[in-house]
Amino acid sequence: MCGRTRCTLRSDDVPRACHRSDAPTRTLHMDRYRPAYNVSPGSNMPVVRREEASDSGGYVLHSMKWGLIPSFTKKTEKPDHYKMFNARSESIDEKASFRRLLPKSRCLVAVEGFYEWKKDGSKKQPYYIHFKDGRRLVFAALYDSWQNSEGETLHTFTIVTTSSSSALQWLHDRMPVILGSKESTDTWLSSSASSFKSVMKPYEESDLVWYPVTSAMGKTSFDGPECIKEIQVKAEGNTSISMFFSKKGAESKDTKPEQKLSSHEFVKTEPTEDLIEGAKAEEGDNDLKFSGSSHSKNASTLPIKREYETFSADSKPALANHDQISSNPAKKKEKTKTANDKQPTLFSYFGKK
């Protein structure tokens, strides 16, 4: 579908965009046209159509309301421009609202671009679609006229749509019929029924580009250059990548109990170092009677080292028992200072001596 367009063209730019600059063109109701960046059904837009006299060869630049109101609509009925703002090319010759318009009521609609929304769950992200080189897009359209109960004649049109091109299928399954050359516009306006059907197909050229724009486009009252300003959106793969790393993190947590065995070797060495530091602190506080001479201090070095090696060897079997030792270094250090600690110390060694 095509429900929003950008049409900020000047009136004299429209015939040129539709390749009608070499033919006589008159204007009708163009004072009702208001250029806008966010055009929705119910708005007045410039349309190029053939003169009703078949032999004139001229064209009319006519401001009409977007959203077809068939001529057979009841005069007392309130017009609903959102009901038929698009016509499916696949069934255009089957529905009465469109079939009777095909012979003589085909027209062209020129715009700078159109908008389409990408659905992502409950969210919708609008994209602005346009030609890479900035030239105008020309849509195939049908028009009709209807008279209300007050005798006022309303001219309306609908944009013909087709299946989406291969490049745009990710965004939407429908797109307007884009007439990308003078030949295709000639075919749509002037050819017989057997020929114009050939142009009702997806536009597959690579010069049609797009980019994301603000979600404020959803409001019909939002207008201005901000409508076509490109914004940055998250890449589609971000969610799956985040989930991947989340799973990796969960796996790391699950493996931590297995890693305790390998980290236990580090725990073994900690009590030994704490005991040595505690012994040195006690040695400093009590002075051990070795402070009388430097000779005594030097003499004590060798037995302390030998005893430390002996003590370390004795203490390893006890430390190997994982269930009997706390993994908190602070608690282990505190335990070595209790009076009930049965483990041998340097002082108990020298006391025995």
PDB file of all heavy atoms in Angstrom, residues 167-203:
ATOM      1  N   ALA A 167      13.697  -5.984  -3.922  1.00  0.00           N
ATOM      2  CA  ALA A 167      14.531  -5.206  -2.995  1.00  0.00           C
ATOM      3  C   ALA A 167      13.742  -4.663  -1.815  1.00  0.00           C
ATOM      4  O   ALA A 167      14.312  -4.374  -0.766  1.00  0.00           O
ATOM      5  CB  ALA A 167      15.196  -4.048  -3.746  1.00  0.00           C
ATOM      6  N   LEU A 168      12.422  -4.529  -1.955  1.00  0.00           N
ATOM      7  CA  LEU A 168      11.598  -3.928  -0.908  1.00  0.00           C
ATOM      8  C   LEU A 168      10.686  -4.912  -0.194  1.00  0.00           C
ATOM      9  O   LEU A 168       9.895  -4.512   0.651  1.00  0.00           O
ATOM     10  CB  LEU A 168      10.742  -2.795  -1.490  1.00  0.00           C
ATOM     11  CG  LEU A 168      11.449  -1.468  -1.748  1.00  0.00           C
ATOM     12  CD1 LEU A 168      10.533  -0.512  -2.503  1.00  0.00           C
ATOM     13  CD2 LEU A 168      11.906  -0.831  -0.443  1.00  0.00           C
ATOM     14  N   GLN A 169      10.817  -6.181  -0.503  1.00  0.00           N
ATOM     15  CA  GLN A 169       9.934  -7.163   0.126  1.00  0.00           C
ATOM     16  C   GLN A 169      10.137  -7.234   1.630  1.00  0.00           C
ATOM     17  O   GLN A 169       9.212  -7.580   2.370  1.00  0.00           O
ATOM     18  CB  GLN A 169      10.166  -8.543  -0.509  1.00  0.00           C
ATOM     19  CG  GLN A 169       9.544  -8.674  -1.890  1.00  0.00           C
ATOM     20  CD  GLN A 169       9.815 -10.031  -2.527  1.00  0.00           C
ATOM     21  OE1 GLN A 169      10.559 -10.851  -1.963  1.00  0.00           O
ATOM     22  NE2 GLN A 169       9.226 -10.267  -3.681  1.00  0.00           N
ATOM     23  N   TRP A 170      11.344  -6.945   2.099  1.00  0.00           N
ATOM     24  CA  TRP A 170      11.621  -6.958   3.546  1.00  0.00           C
ATOM     25  C   TRP A 170      10.822  -5.872   4.276  1.00  0.00           C
ATOM     26  O   TRP A 170      10.529  -6.005   5.474  1.00  0.00           O
ATOM     27  CB  TRP A 170      13.114  -6.721   3.793  1.00  0.00           C
ATOM     28  CG  TRP A 170      13.555  -5.334   3.406  1.00  0.00           C
ATOM     29  CD1 TRP A 170      13.955  -4.913   2.171  1.00  0.00           C
ATOM     30  CD2 TRP A 170      13.596  -4.185   4.257  1.00  0.00           C
ATOM     31  NE1 TRP A 170      14.251  -3.579   2.192  1.00  0.00           N
ATOM     32  CE2 TRP A 170      14.043  -3.094   3.467  1.00  0.00           C
ATOM     33  CE3 TRP A 170      13.308  -3.958   5.604  1.00  0.00           C
ATOM     34  CZ2 TRP A 170      14.201  -1.818   3.979  1.00  0.00           C
ATOM     35  CZ3 TRP A 170      13.474  -2.678   6.121  1.00  0.00           C
ATOM     36  CH2 TRP A 170      13.915  -1.639   5.313  1.00  0.00           C
ATOM     37  N   LEU A 171      10.446  -4.810   3.545  1.00  0.00           N
ATOM     38  CA  LEU A 171       9.762  -3.677   4.163  1.00  0.00           C
ATOM     39  C   LEU A 171       8.252  -3.819   4.105  1.00  0.00           C
ATOM     40  O   LEU A 171       7.559  -3.588   5.096  1.00  0.00           O
ATOM     41  CB  LEU A 171      10.203  -2.384   3.463  1.00  0.00           C
ATOM     42  CG  LEU A 171       9.603  -1.068   3.958  1.00  0.00           C
ATOM     43  CD1 LEU A 171       9.905  -0.879   5.441  1.00  0.00           C
ATOM     44  CD2 LEU A 171      10.180   0.094   3.146  1.00  0.00           C
ATOM     45  N   HIS A 172       7.735  -4.179   2.926  1.00  0.00           N
ATOM     46  CA  HIS A 172       6.293  -4.313   2.750  1.00  0.00           C
ATOM     47  C   HIS A 172       6.021  -5.198   1.543  1.00  0.00           C
ATOM     48  O   HIS A 172       6.873  -5.327   0.662  1.00  0.00           O
ATOM     49  CB  HIS A 172       5.647  -2.932   2.569  1.00  0.00           C
ATOM     50  CG  HIS A 172       4.186  -2.892   2.920  1.00  0.00           C
ATOM     51  ND1 HIS A 172       3.207  -3.296   2.040  1.00  0.00           N
ATOM     52  CD2 HIS A 172       3.542  -2.506   4.049  1.00  0.00           C
ATOM     53  CE1 HIS A 172       2.026  -3.151   2.608  1.00  0.00           C
ATOM     54  NE2 HIS A 172       2.193  -2.685   3.835  1.00  0.00           N
ATOM     55  N   ASP A 173       4.832  -5.786   1.500  1.00  0.00           N
ATOM     56  CA  ASP A 173       4.503  -6.673   0.378  1.00  0.00           C
ATOM     57  C   ASP A 173       3.828  -5.947  -0.779  1.00  0.00           C
ATOM     58  O   ASP A 173       3.526  -6.562  -1.805  1.00  0.00           O
ATOM     59  CB  ASP A 173       3.631  -7.839   0.854  1.00  0.00           C
ATOM     60  CG  ASP A 173       2.324  -7.371   1.461  1.00  0.00           C
ATOM     61  OD1 ASP A 173       2.165  -6.142   1.673  1.00  0.00           O
ATOM     62  OD2 ASP A 173       1.448  -8.212   1.737  1.00  0.00           O
ATOM     63  N   ARG A 174       3.577  -4.628  -0.626  1.00  0.00           N
ATOM     64  CA  ARG A 174       2.956  -3.840  -1.692  1.00  0.00           C
ATOM     65  C   ARG A 174       3.756  -2.566  -1.937  1.00  0.00           C
ATOM     66  O   ARG A 174       4.456  -2.075  -1.044  1.00  0.00           O
ATOM     67  CB  ARG A 174       1.520  -3.452  -1.334  1.00  0.00           C
ATOM     68  CG  ARG A 174       0.599  -4.583  -0.962  1.00  0.00           C
ATOM     69  CD  ARG A 174       0.292  -5.483  -2.129  1.00  0.00           C
ATOM     70  NE  ARG A 174      -0.438  -4.795  -3.204  1.00  0.00           N
ATOM     71  CZ  ARG A 174      -0.768  -5.365  -4.361  1.00  0.00           C
ATOM     72  NH1 ARG A 174      -0.403  -6.612  -4.598  1.00  0.00           N
ATOM     73  NH2 ARG A 174      -1.423  -4.694  -5.280  1.00  0.00           N
ATOM     74  N   MET A 175       3.618  -2.038  -3.162  1.00  0.00           N
ATOM     75  CA  MET A 175       4.247  -0.766  -3.510  1.00  0.00           C
ATOM     76  C   MET A 175       3.436  -0.116  -4.636  1.00  0.00           C
ATOM     77  O   MET A 175       2.703  -0.814  -5.355  1.00  0.00           O
ATOM     78  CB  MET A 175       5.702  -0.977  -3.950  1.00  0.00           C
ATOM     79  CG  MET A 175       5.866  -1.668  -5.281  1.00  0.00           C
ATOM     80  SD  MET A 175       7.613  -1.943  -5.747  1.00  0.00           S
ATOM     81  CE  MET A 175       8.223  -0.256  -5.838  1.00  0.00           C
ATOM     82  N   PRO A 176       3.536   1.209  -4.795  1.00  0.00           N
ATOM     83  CA  PRO A 176       2.817   1.855  -5.896  1.00  0.00           C
ATOM     84  C   PRO A 176       3.404   1.466  -7.249  1.00  0.00           C
ATOM     85  O   PRO A 176       4.589   1.128  -7.342  1.00  0.00           O
ATOM     86  CB  PRO A 176       3.000   3.348  -5.618  1.00  0.00           C
ATOM     87  CG  PRO A 176       4.215   3.427  -4.761  1.00  0.00           C
ATOM     88  CD  PRO A 176       4.243   2.188  -3.941  1.00  0.00           C
ATOM     89  N   VAL A 177       2.592   1.504  -8.278  1.00  0.00           N
ATOM     90  CA  VAL A 177       3.081   1.280  -9.636  1.00  0.00           C
ATOM     91  C   VAL A 177       3.854   2.522 -10.057  1.00  0.00           C
ATOM     92  O   VAL A 177       3.285   3.604 -10.227  1.00  0.00           O
ATOM     93  CB  VAL A 177       1.928   1.009 -10.612  1.00  0.00           C
ATOM     94  CG1 VAL A 177       2.441   0.972 -12.057  1.00  0.00           C
ATOM     95  CG2 VAL A 177       1.229  -0.311 -10.263  1.00  0.00           C
ATOM     96  N   ILE A 178       5.174   2.383 -10.194  1.00  0.00           N
ATOM     97  CA  ILE A 178       6.055   3.506 -10.541  1.00  0.00           C
ATOM     98  C   ILE A 178       6.347   3.472 -12.033  1.00  0.00           C
ATOM     99  O   ILE A 178       6.833   2.464 -12.560  1.00  0.00           O
ATOM    100  CB  ILE A 178       7.359   3.445  -9.724  1.00  0.00           C
ATOM    101  CG1 ILE A 178       7.059   3.510  -8.230  1.00  0.00           C
ATOM    102  CG2 ILE A 178       8.305   4.575 -10.130  1.00  0.00           C
ATOM    103  CD1 ILE A 178       8.273   3.314  -7.337  1.00  0.00           C
ATOM    104  N   LEU A 179       6.052   4.571 -12.697  1.00  0.00           N
ATOM    105  CA  LEU A 179       6.305   4.699 -14.128  1.00  0.00           C
ATOM    106  C   LEU A 179       7.616   5.454 -14.290  1.00  0.00           C
ATOM    107  O   LEU A 179       7.672   6.671 -14.167  1.00  0.00           O
ATOM    108  CB  LEU A 179       5.145   5.433 -14.810  1.00  0.00           C
ATOM    109  CG  LEU A 179       3.749   4.823 -14.528  1.00  0.00           C
ATOM    110  CD1 LEU A 179       2.650   5.702 -15.107  1.00  0.00           C
ATOM    111  CD2 LEU A 179       3.658   3.404 -15.070  1.00  0.00           C
ATOM    112  N   GLY A 180       8.679   4.710 -14.552  1.00  0.00           N
ATOM    113  CA  GLY A 180      10.017   5.286 -14.501  1.00  0.00           C
ATOM    114  C   GLY A 180      10.543   5.885 -15.781  1.00  0.00           C
ATOM    115  O   GLY A 180      11.685   6.334 -15.814  1.00  0.00           O
ATOM    116  N   SER A 181       9.742   5.935 -16.832  1.00  0.00           N
ATOM    117  CA  SER A 181      10.214   6.488 -18.105  1.00  0.00           C
ATOM    118  C   SER A 181       9.070   7.188 -18.835  1.00  0.00           C
ATOM    119  O   SER A 181       7.884   7.002 -18.495  1.00  0.00           O
ATOM    120  CB  SER A 181      10.780   5.374 -18.990  1.00  0.00           C
ATOM    121  OG  SER A 181       9.751   4.460 -19.335  1.00  0.00           O
ATOM    122  N   LYS A 182       9.410   7.968 -19.844  1.00  0.00           N
ATOM    123  CA  LYS A 182       8.385   8.639 -20.653  1.00  0.00           C
ATOM    124  C   LYS A 182       7.523   7.615 -21.379  1.00  0.00           C
ATOM    125  O   LYS A 182       6.302   7.781 -21.504  1.00  0.00           O
ATOM    126  CB  LYS A 182       9.036   9.582 -21.664  1.00  0.00           C
ATOM    127  CG  LYS A 182       8.026  10.410 -22.459  1.00  0.00           C
ATOM    128  CD  LYS A 182       8.713  11.318 -23.451  1.00  0.00           C
ATOM    129  CE  LYS A 182       7.706  12.231 -24.152  1.00  0.00           C
ATOM    130  NZ  LYS A 182       6.614  11.485 -24.838  1.00  0.00           N
ATOM    131  N   GLU A 183       8.120   6.554 -21.841  1.00  0.00           N
ATOM    132  CA  GLU A 183       7.375   5.519 -22.548  1.00  0.00           C
ATOM    133  C   GLU A 183       6.296   4.907 -21.665  1.00  0.00           C
ATOM    134  O   GLU A 183       5.166   4.666 -22.116  1.00  0.00           O
ATOM    135  CB  GLU A 183       8.326   4.429 -23.039  1.00  0.00           C
ATOM    136  CG  GLU A 183       9.268   4.848 -24.147  1.00  0.00           C
ATOM    137  CD  GLU A 183      10.380   5.766 -23.670  1.00  0.00           C
ATOM    138  OE1 GLU A 183      10.673   5.763 -22.432  1.00  0.00           O
ATOM    139  OE2 GLU A 183      10.959   6.482 -24.506  1.00  0.00           O
ATOM    140  N   SER A 184       6.651   4.643 -20.411  1.00  0.00           N
ATOM    141  CA  SER A 184       5.670   4.030 -19.507  1.00  0.00           C
ATOM    142  C   SER A 184       4.543   5.002 -19.165  1.00  0.00           C
ATOM    143  O   SER A 184       3.386   4.585 -19.028  1.00  0.00           O
ATOM    144  CB  SER A 184       6.359   3.535 -18.237  1.00  0.00           C
ATOM    145  OG  SER A 184       7.001   4.594 -17.555  1.00  0.00           O
ATOM    146  N   THR A 185       4.847   6.308 -19.037  1.00  0.00           N
ATOM    147  CA  THR A 185       3.780   7.283 -18.787  1.00  0.00           C
ATOM    148  C   THR A 185       2.877   7.434 -20.010  1.00  0.00           C
ATOM    149  O   THR A 185       1.650   7.571 -19.867  1.00  0.00           O
ATOM    150  CB  THR A 185       4.366   8.657 -18.396  1.00  0.00           C
ATOM    151  OG1 THR A 185       5.225   9.124 -19.445  1.00  0.00           O
ATOM    152  CG2 THR A 185       5.157   8.565 -17.100  1.00  0.00           C
ATOM    153  N   ASP A 186       3.460   7.385 -21.189  1.00  0.00           N
ATOM    154  CA  ASP A 186       2.654   7.428 -22.419  1.00  0.00           C
ATOM    155  C   ASP A 186       1.729   6.221 -22.503  1.00  0.00           C
ATOM    156  O   ASP A 186       0.549   6.344 -22.876  1.00  0.00           O
ATOM    157  CB  ASP A 186       3.556   7.463 -23.651  1.00  0.00           C
ATOM    158  CG  ASP A 186       4.283   8.797 -23.820  1.00  0.00           C
ATOM    159  OD1 ASP A 186       3.846   9.786 -23.196  1.00  0.00           O
ATOM    160  OD2 ASP A 186       5.292   8.830 -24.558  1.00  0.00           O
ATOM    161  N   THR A 187       2.274   5.078 -22.159  1.00  0.00           N
ATOM    162  CA  THR A 187       1.486   3.849 -22.212  1.00  0.00           C
ATOM    163  C   THR A 187       0.305   3.917 -21.262  1.00  0.00           C
ATOM    164  O   THR A 187      -0.817   3.520 -21.611  1.00  0.00           O
ATOM    165  CB  THR A 187       2.367   2.633 -21.874  1.00  0.00           C
ATOM    166  OG1 THR A 187       3.432   2.550 -22.811  1.00  0.00           O
ATOM    167  CG2 THR A 187       1.564   1.350 -21.891  1.00  0.00           C
ATOM    168  N   TRP A 188       0.537   4.412 -20.058  1.00  0.00           N
ATOM    169  CA  TRP A 188      -0.538   4.468 -19.072  1.00  0.00           C
ATOM    170  C   TRP A 188      -1.618   5.488 -19.458  1.00  0.00           C
ATOM    171  O   TRP A 188      -2.816   5.221 -19.295  1.00  0.00           O
ATOM    172  CB  TRP A 188       0.023   4.790 -17.690  1.00  0.00           C
ATOM    173  CG  TRP A 188      -1.038   4.899 -16.630  1.00  0.00           C
ATOM    174  CD1 TRP A 188      -1.470   6.033 -16.012  1.00  0.00           C
ATOM    175  CD2 TRP A 188      -1.809   3.830 -16.085  1.00  0.00           C
ATOM    176  NE1 TRP A 188      -2.465   5.754 -15.107  1.00  0.00           N
ATOM    177  CE2 TRP A 188      -2.684   4.391 -15.132  1.00  0.00           C
ATOM    178  CE3 TRP A 188      -1.846   2.453 -16.307  1.00  0.00           C
ATOM    179  CZ2 TRP A 188      -3.596   3.632 -14.399  1.00  0.00           C
ATOM    180  CZ3 TRP A 188      -2.756   1.682 -15.580  1.00  0.00           C
ATOM    181  CH2 TRP A 188      -3.615   2.265 -14.638  1.00  0.00           C
ATOM    182  N   LEU A 189      -1.232   6.618 -19.984  1.00  0.00           N
ATOM    183  CA  LEU A 189      -2.206   7.665 -20.294  1.00  0.00           C
ATOM    184  C   LEU A 189      -2.976   7.428 -21.590  1.00  0.00           C
ATOM    185  O   LEU A 189      -4.175   7.720 -21.665  1.00  0.00           O
ATOM    186  CB  LEU A 189      -1.506   9.028 -20.380  1.00  0.00           C
ATOM    187  CG  LEU A 189      -1.181   9.743 -19.067  1.00  0.00           C
ATOM    188  CD1 LEU A 189      -0.524  11.081 -19.356  1.00  0.00           C
ATOM    189  CD2 LEU A 189      -2.431   9.934 -18.209  1.00  0.00           C
ATOM    190  N   SER A 190      -2.312   6.917 -22.609  1.00  0.00           N
ATOM    191  CA  SER A 190      -2.893   6.972 -23.954  1.00  0.00           C
ATOM    192  C   SER A 190      -3.146   5.639 -24.627  1.00  0.00           C
ATOM    193  O   SER A 190      -3.822   5.601 -25.663  1.00  0.00           O
ATOM    194  CB  SER A 190      -1.976   7.806 -24.868  1.00  0.00           C
ATOM    195  OG  SER A 190      -1.693   9.065 -24.281  1.00  0.00           O
ATOM    196  N   SER A 191      -2.634   4.564 -24.138  1.00  0.00           N
ATOM    197  CA  SER A 191      -2.728   3.298 -24.859  1.00  0.00           C
ATOM    198  C   SER A 191      -4.057   2.600 -24.603  1.00  0.00           C
ATOM    199  O   SER A 191      -4.840   2.990 -23.740  1.00  0.00           O
ATOM    200  CB  SER A 191      -1.579   2.377 -24.477  1.00  0.00           C
ATOM    201  OG  SER A 191      -1.701   1.992 -23.125  1.00  0.00           O
ATOM    202  N   SER A 192      -4.253   1.527 -25.332  1.00  0.00           N
ATOM    203  CA  SER A 192      -5.456   0.722 -25.165  1.00  0.00           C
ATOM    204  C   SER A 192      -5.336  -0.159 -23.923  1.00  0.00           C
ATOM    205  O   SER A 192      -4.256  -0.297 -23.339  1.00  0.00           O
ATOM    206  CB  SER A 192      -5.669  -0.164 -26.400  1.00  0.00           C
ATOM    207  OG  SER A 192      -4.562  -1.028 -26.560  1.00  0.00           O
ATOM    208  N   ALA A 193      -6.436  -0.776 -23.558  1.00  0.00           N
ATOM    209  CA  ALA A 193      -6.466  -1.600 -22.352  1.00  0.00           C
ATOM    210  C   ALA A 193      -5.496  -2.765 -22.428  1.00  0.00           C
ATOM    211  O   ALA A 193      -4.919  -3.186 -21.425  1.00  0.00           O
ATOM    212  CB  ALA A 193      -7.877  -2.109 -22.105  1.00  0.00           C
ATOM    213  N   SER A 194      -5.282  -3.276 -23.613  1.00  0.00           N
ATOM    214  CA  SER A 194      -4.396  -4.427 -23.751  1.00  0.00           C
ATOM    215  C   SER A 194      -2.926  -4.066 -23.540  1.00  0.00           C
ATOM    216  O   SER A 194      -2.103  -4.927 -23.260  1.00  0.00           O
ATOM    217  CB  SER A 194      -4.567  -5.052 -25.138  1.00  0.00           C
ATOM    218  OG  SER A 194      -4.271  -4.094 -26.143  1.00  0.00           O
ATOM    219  N   SER A 195      -2.616  -2.773 -23.662  1.00  0.00           N
ATOM    220  CA  SER A 195      -1.222  -2.340 -23.540  1.00  0.00           C
ATOM    221  C   SER A 195      -0.877  -1.808 -22.157  1.00  0.00           C
ATOM    222  O   SER A 195       0.228  -2.057 -21.651  1.00  0.00           O
ATOM    223  CB  SER A 195      -0.921  -1.260 -24.585  1.00  0.00           C
ATOM    224  OG  SER A 195      -1.106  -1.757 -25.888  1.00  0.00           O
ATOM    225  N   PHE A 196      -1.775  -1.062 -21.509  1.00  0.00           N
ATOM    226  CA  PHE A 196      -1.400  -0.409 -20.250  1.00  0.00           C
ATOM    227  C   PHE A 196      -1.172  -1.400 -19.115  1.00  0.00           C
ATOM    228  O   PHE A 196      -0.515  -1.068 -18.127  1.00  0.00           O
ATOM    229  CB  PHE A 196      -2.432   0.649 -19.846  1.00  0.00           C
ATOM    230  CG  PHE A 196      -3.758   0.116 -19.384  1.00  0.00           C
ATOM    231  CD1 PHE A 196      -3.914  -0.479 -18.139  1.00  0.00           C
ATOM    232  CD2 PHE A 196      -4.887   0.240 -20.183  1.00  0.00           C
ATOM    233  CE1 PHE A 196      -5.129  -0.947 -17.703  1.00  0.00           C
ATOM    234  CE2 PHE A 196      -6.106  -0.223 -19.758  1.00  0.00           C
ATOM    235  CZ  PHE A 196      -6.238  -0.831 -18.520  1.00  0.00           C
ATOM    236  N   LYS A 197      -1.697  -2.615 -19.262  1.00  0.00           N
ATOM    237  CA  LYS A 197      -1.475  -3.602 -18.204  1.00  0.00           C
ATOM    238  C   LYS A 197      -0.004  -3.999 -18.088  1.00  0.00           C
ATOM    239  O   LYS A 197       0.435  -4.478 -17.055  1.00  0.00           O
ATOM    240  CB  LYS A 197      -2.332  -4.841 -18.472  1.00  0.00           C
ATOM    241  CG  LYS A 197      -3.816  -4.613 -18.244  1.00  0.00           C
ATOM    242  CD  LYS A 197      -4.602  -5.910 -18.403  1.00  0.00           C
ATOM    243  CE  LYS A 197      -6.077  -5.690 -18.130  1.00  0.00           C
ATOM    244  NZ  LYS A 197      -6.860  -6.945 -18.277  1.00  0.00           N
ATOM    245  N   SER A 198       0.743  -3.761 -19.159  1.00  0.00           N
ATOM    246  CA  SER A 198       2.161  -4.143 -19.155  1.00  0.00           C
ATOM    247  C   SER A 198       2.996  -3.298 -18.196  1.00  0.00           C
ATOM    248  O   SER A 198       4.096  -3.712 -17.800  1.00  0.00           O
ATOM    249  CB  SER A 198       2.736  -4.034 -20.569  1.00  0.00           C
ATOM    250  OG  SER A 198       2.688  -2.694 -21.022  1.00  0.00           O
ATOM    251  N   VAL A 199       2.502  -2.114 -17.840  1.00  0.00           N
ATOM    252  CA  VAL A 199       3.278  -1.247 -16.939  1.00  0.00           C
ATOM    253  C   VAL A 199       2.896  -1.449 -15.474  1.00  0.00           C
ATOM    254  O   VAL A 199       3.554  -0.891 -14.581  1.00  0.00           O
ATOM    255  CB  VAL A 199       3.101   0.237 -17.319  1.00  0.00           C
ATOM    256  CG1 VAL A 199       3.559   0.486 -18.740  1.00  0.00           C
ATOM    257  CG2 VAL A 199       1.664   0.704 -17.116  1.00  0.00           C
ATOM    258  N   MET A 200       1.868  -2.235 -15.215  1.00  0.00           N
ATOM    259  CA  MET A 200       1.440  -2.458 -13.826  1.00  0.00           C
ATOM    260  C   MET A 200       2.243  -3.603 -13.218  1.00  0.00           C
ATOM    261  O   MET A 200       1.764  -4.725 -13.067  1.00  0.00           O
ATOM    262  CB  MET A 200      -0.065  -2.742 -13.777  1.00  0.00           C
ATOM    263  CG  MET A 200      -0.909  -1.545 -14.153  1.00  0.00           C
ATOM    264  SD  MET A 200      -2.677  -1.736 -13.776  1.00  0.00           S
ATOM    265  CE  MET A 200      -3.108  -3.104 -14.829  1.00  0.00           C
ATOM    266  N   LYS A 201       3.465  -3.306 -12.880  1.00  0.00           N
ATOM    267  CA  LYS A 201       4.382  -4.310 -12.344  1.00  0.00           C
ATOM    268  C   LYS A 201       5.331  -3.637 -11.346  1.00  0.00           C
ATOM    269  O   LYS A 201       5.454  -2.405 -11.324  1.00  0.00           O
ATOM    270  CB  LYS A 201       5.170  -4.962 -13.476  1.00  0.00           C
ATOM    271  CG  LYS A 201       5.989  -3.984 -14.296  1.00  0.00           C
ATOM    272  CD  LYS A 201       6.667  -4.652 -15.478  1.00  0.00           C
ATOM    273  CE  LYS A 201       7.476  -3.653 -16.299  1.00  0.00           C
ATOM    274  NZ  LYS A 201       8.122  -4.293 -17.469  1.00  0.00           N
ATOM    275  N   PRO A 202       6.024  -4.411 -10.528  1.00  0.00           N
ATOM    276  CA  PRO A 202       6.961  -3.821  -9.555  1.00  0.00           C
ATOM    277  C   PRO A 202       8.112  -3.108 -10.245  1.00  0.00           C
ATOM    278  O   PRO A 202       8.559  -3.524 -11.324  1.00  0.00           O
ATOM    279  CB  PRO A 202       7.463  -5.036  -8.771  1.00  0.00           C
ATOM    280  CG  PRO A 202       6.452  -6.094  -8.996  1.00  0.00           C
ATOM    281  CD  PRO A 202       5.898  -5.870 -10.363  1.00  0.00           C
ATOM    282  N   TYR A 203       8.582  -2.044  -9.619  1.00  0.00           N
ATOM    283  CA  TYR A 203       9.746  -1.317 -10.135  1.00  0.00           C
ATOM    284  C   TYR A 203      10.992  -1.985  -9.588  1.00  0.00           C
ATOM    285  O   TYR A 203      11.273  -1.925  -8.386  1.00  0.00           O
ATOM    286  CB  TYR A 203       9.677   0.153  -9.716  1.00  0.00           C
ATOM    287  CG  TYR A 203      10.765   1.013 -10.327  1.00  0.00           C
ATOM    288  CD1 TYR A 203      10.607   1.558 -11.598  1.00  0.00           C
ATOM    289  CD2 TYR A 203      11.954   1.262  -9.644  1.00  0.00           C
ATOM    290  CE1 TYR A 203      11.602   2.343 -12.169  1.00  0.00           C
ATOM    291  CE2 TYR A 203      12.958   2.044 -10.208  1.00  0.00           C
ATOM    292  CZ  TYR A 203      12.773   2.578 -11.472  1.00  0.00           C
ATOM    293  OH  TYR A 203      13.762   3.350 -12.041  1.00  0.00           O
TER     294      TYR A 203
END
